[in-house]
């Protein structure tokens, strides 16, 4: 809103006229008409002039006066409360009894950046997340301090991380390749592994979700364990794997048997948990050994 001005007249009058206050003859002199009264300049400044809101001084007849909502300013005093730009010929807004230019008003009303705490002006690229706003360049990874931009991110402990930094800082490291495990994985002997890294030591076949066994700190699939590691049963000559039916093993004087193969040579009685007699590399029950 623009201010309004007092108009000052130079009047030469044939008729005699006097100042309303001091009664001085105003013929041929400058005067001000105030509420239908003629007032000399001196009395106007003393009795009638409005007081400037900014400098607290009277607004005399030789000054331009601006008013807004019942308040008055010298034209030179009518300035933005924040940047002090003169607003005598500019548009302005009034907020909390303060006069603001359009730019400062926009800054005051704009949301504050959660990173730099400066206003985010209309038309500025910004990011909104969980009720907070950031300038685009202020929305950065807590670890590497690089702008997130359009990339995906992960929030942890009230901080924002790019995917790469989150993996490096928080993801479990594979016991084999030492790289982060981002999804899935396998736990073996209290250590995490990528599924594709947890493989048979012999044929390299992935073991996740399959049966496997270990020998001397190496893991093997069932087939490779049978063919390359497992001992052969002294009776049937098949590998002793410890899987399925062959879960129990009998060891005796350097030989190994499936528990179901540890039988009397003569009567085939299973001797896995019984007394037996060994003669010439063969196993006999007590009764059969007496008949030899």
């Amino acid at each position: 809103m623009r201010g309004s001005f007092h108009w000052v007249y130079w009047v030469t009058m044939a008729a005699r006229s006097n100042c309303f206050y001091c009664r001085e003859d105003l013929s041929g002199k400058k005067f001000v008409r105030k509420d239908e009264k003629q007032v000399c300049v001196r009395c106007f400044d003393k009795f009638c002039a409005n007081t400037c809101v900014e400098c607290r001084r009277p607004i005399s007849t030789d000054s331009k006066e601006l008013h807004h909502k019942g308040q008055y300013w010298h034209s030179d005093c009518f300035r933005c409360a924040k940047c002090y730009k003169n607003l005598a010929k500019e548009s302005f807004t009034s907020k909390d009894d303060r006069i603001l230019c359009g730019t400062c008003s926009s800054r005051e009303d704009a949301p504050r950046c959660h990173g730099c705490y400066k206003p985010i002006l209309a038309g500025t690229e910004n990011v909104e997340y969980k009720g907070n706003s950031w300038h685009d360049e202020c929305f950065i990874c807590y670890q590497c301090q690089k702008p997130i931009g359009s990339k995906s991110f992960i929030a942890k402990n009230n901080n924002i991380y790019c995917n790469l930094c989150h993996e490096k800082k928080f993801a479990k490291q594979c016991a084999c390749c030492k790289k982060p495990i981002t999804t899935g994985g396998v736990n073996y002997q209290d250590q995490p592994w990528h599924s594709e890294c947890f493989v048979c030591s012999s044929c390299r076949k992935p073991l996740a979700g399959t049966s496997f066994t270990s020998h001397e700190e190496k893991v093997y699939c069932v087939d490779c364990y049978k063919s390359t590691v497992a001992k052969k049963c002294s009776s049937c000559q098949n590998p002793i794997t410890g899987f399925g039916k062959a879960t129990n093993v009998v060891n005796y004087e350097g030989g190994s048997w499936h528990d179901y193969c540890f039988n009397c040579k003569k009567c085939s009685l299973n001797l896995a948990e019984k007394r037996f007699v060994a003669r010439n590399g063969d196993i006999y029950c007590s009764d059969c050994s007496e008949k030899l």
Side-chain angles (χ1 to χ4, degrees), residues 209-223:
T210 68
S211 296
F212 65 91
T213 189
S214 63
H215 179 71
E216 296 180 351
E217 298 185 355
K218 293 181 180 180
V219 289
Y220 296 89
C221 66
V222 173
D223 291 338

Side-chain angles (χ1 to χ4, degrees), residues 25 49 54 66 85 116 122 187-188 200 207 257 262:
D25 182 11
E54 181 65 26
L66 286 80
K85 177 183 178 181
C116 68
N187 282 318
Y188 176 66
C200 173
L207 298 177
W257 288 260
F262 195 65

Side-chain angles (χ1 to χ4, degrees), residues 177-282:
C177 68
K178 308 304 180 184
K179 294 180 180 179
I181 301 173
T182 56
T183 57
V186 176
N187 282 318
Y188 176 66
Q189 293 186 341
D190 296 327
Q191 289 186 312
W193 304 65
H194 288 113
S195 296
E196 60 272 22
C197 291
F198 191 64
V199 297
C200 173
S201 297
S202 181
C203 69
R204 313 307 296 173
K205 179 176 71 176
L207 298 177
T210 68
S211 296
F212 65 91
T213 189
S214 63
H215 179 71
E216 296 180 351
E217 298 185 355
K218 293 181 180 180
V219 289
Y220 296 89
C221 66
V222 173
D223 291 338
C224 289
Y225 182 79
K226 287 179 178 179
S227 61
T228 62
V229 179
K231 293 180 179 180
K232 299 297 189 293
C233 176
S234 297
S235 176
C236 69
Q237 299 303 308
N238 290 322
I240 301 173
T241 63
F243 301 114
K245 185 180 178 181
T247 55
N248 296 318
V249 180
V250 177
N251 293 303
Y252 176 68
E253 292 189 352
S256 297
W257 288 260
H258 296 109
D259 64 340
Y260 55 81
C261 290
F262 195 65
N263 300 325
C264 174
K265 174 73 172 177
K266 189 172 181 64
C267 71
S268 299
L269 176 69
N270 187 264
L271 301 174
E273 295 182 1
K274 295 182 174 65
R275 293 175 62 84
F276 63 88
V277 176
R279 288 188 179 181
N280 301 322
D282 294 321

Side-chain angles (χ1 to χ4, degrees), residues 5 13 31 49 61 120 123 126:
F5 306 102
M13 302 182 64
F31 69 92
T61 55
I120 302 175
N126 65 91

Side-chain angles (χ1 to χ4, degrees), residues 69 93-100 105 107-110:
K69 291 186 176 181
T93 58
S94 177
K95 184 175 182 181
D96 300 329
D97 295 327
R98 296 179 302 159
I99 301 299
L100 299 173
S105 177
R107 289 180 179 274
E108 286 229 337
D109 294 334

Side-chain angles (χ1 to χ4, degrees), residues 34-244:
K34 174 72 173 176
D35 299 330
E36 301 301 324
K37 301 179 182 70
Q38 297 177 153
V39 182
C40 70
V41 172
R42 183 177 65 256
C43 287
F44 177 86
D45 291 347
K46 183 176 181 181
F47 299 110
C48 303
N50 293 310
T51 300
C52 176
V53 172
E54 181 65 26
C55 70
R56 304 297 178 182
R57 296 177 181 175
I59 304 174
S60 63
T61 55
D62 58 355
S63 299
K64 290 182 179 180
E65 179 184 84
L66 286 80
H67 70 84
H68 176 64
K69 291 186 176 181
Q71 294 181 311
Y72 299 85
W73 289 264
H74 294 101
S75 62
D76 290 340
C77 292
F78 194 66
R79 298 177 178 274
C80 173
K82 291 188 71 71
C83 69
Y84 304 109
K85 177 183 178 181
N86 189 278
L87 300 176
K89 296 182 180 180
E90 303 286 342
S91 60
F92 63 89
T93 58
S94 177
K95 184 175 182 181
D96 300 329
D97 295 327
R98 296 179 302 159
I99 301 299
L100 299 173
C101 67
T103 300
C104 290
S105 177
S106 297
R107 289 180 179 274
E108 286 229 337
D109 294 334
R112 294 280 169 172
C113 174
H114 198 62
C116 68
Y117 304 105
K118 295 180 180 179
I120 302 175
L121 301 180
T124 304
E125 292 289 335
N126 65 91
V127 177
E128 293 186 3
Y129 177 66
K130 286 191 174 180
N132 293 317
S133 299
W134 286 262
H135 292 108
D136 202 39
E137 64 274 15
C138 293
F139 193 66
I140 60 176
C141 171
Y142 181 78
Q143 188 72 17
C144 67
Q145 298 293 297
K146 293 180 180 179
I148 299 294
S150 60
K151 296 180 292 186
S152 58
F153 62 89
I154 299 172
K156 190 174 182 68
N157 301 330
N158 295 323
N159 296 317
I160 302 298
Y161 295 87
C162 65
N163 283 344
L164 183 60
C165 287
H166 184 270
E167 289 175 3
K168 289 180 178 178
K169 187 173 181 65
F170 298 107
K172 294 180 179 179
Q173 305 294 314
C174 176
C176 177
C177 68
K178 308 304 180 184
K179 294 180 180 179
I181 301 173
T182 56
T183 57
V186 176
N187 282 318
Y188 176 66
Q189 293 186 341
D190 296 327
Q191 289 186 312
W193 304 65
H194 288 113
S195 296
E196 60 272 22
C197 291
F198 191 64
V199 297
C200 173
S201 297
S202 181
C203 69
R204 313 307 296 173
K205 179 176 71 176
L207 298 177
T210 68
S211 296
F212 65 91
T213 189
S214 63
H215 179 71
E216 296 180 351
E217 298 185 355
K218 293 181 180 180
V219 289
Y220 296 89
C221 66
V222 173
D223 291 338
C224 289
Y225 182 79
K226 287 179 178 179
S227 61
T228 62
V229 179
K231 293 180 179 180
K232 299 297 189 293
C233 176
S234 297
S235 176
C236 69
Q237 299 303 308
N238 290 322
I240 301 173
T241 63
F243 301 114

